[in-house]
Amino acid sequence: MFKIKIIIILLIFSSLLFGTSIIKNENRKIEKNIYQFNKKISQKEKNLNESQLDFSYLTSPSMIEKKIENLDI
């Protein structure tokens, strides 16, 4: 009876240990994906901010007037 309890305890412990390592590895994969997505998002936000700045600069009335004046000459 004592041997059966030890075997059951060892089986439970080893299965929990194995399950923990699997979950930990999956968690690392998910964290890497999140990091990559955050990196892509920050690059896209930077591009968006630069595009908005360019748009506001190019569509400002004073810049348009300067371009028109340069065309008249």
Side-chain angles (χ1 to χ4, degrees):
M1 191 68 175
F2 184 68
K3 289 184 180 182
I4 294 174
K5 287 183 181 180
I6 291 177
I7 292 172
I8 291 172
I9 289 172
L10 286 175
L11 286 174
I12 291 172
F13 180 75
S14 61
S15 66
L16 290 175
L17 187 64
F18 183 70
T20 302
S21 66
I22 290 173
I23 291 172
K24 189 174 181 180
N25 287 334
E26 291 296 321
N27 191 23
R28 284 184 186 163
K29 289 178 187 177
I30 292 171
E31 286 177 352
K32 285 181 184 178
N33 286 339
I34 289 172
Y35 176 74
Q36 290 173 353
F37 285 130
N38 283 337
K39 194 173 176 182
K40 288 179 183 178
I41 288 171
S42 65
Q43 288 175 350
K44 300 251 186 226
E45 285 177 344
K46 182 180 176 187
N47 289 340
L48 176 65
N49 290 336
E50 289 177 356
S51 297
Q52 287 175 339
L53 181 64
D54 287 343
F55 179 76
S56 65
Y57 173 76
L58 292 173
T59 58
S60 67
S62 62
M63 292 305 299
I64 293 173
E65 288 176 1
K66 286 180 184 179
K67 287 181 181 180
I68 290 174
E69 288 174 2
N70 288 337
L71 287 175
D72 288 336
I73 294 176

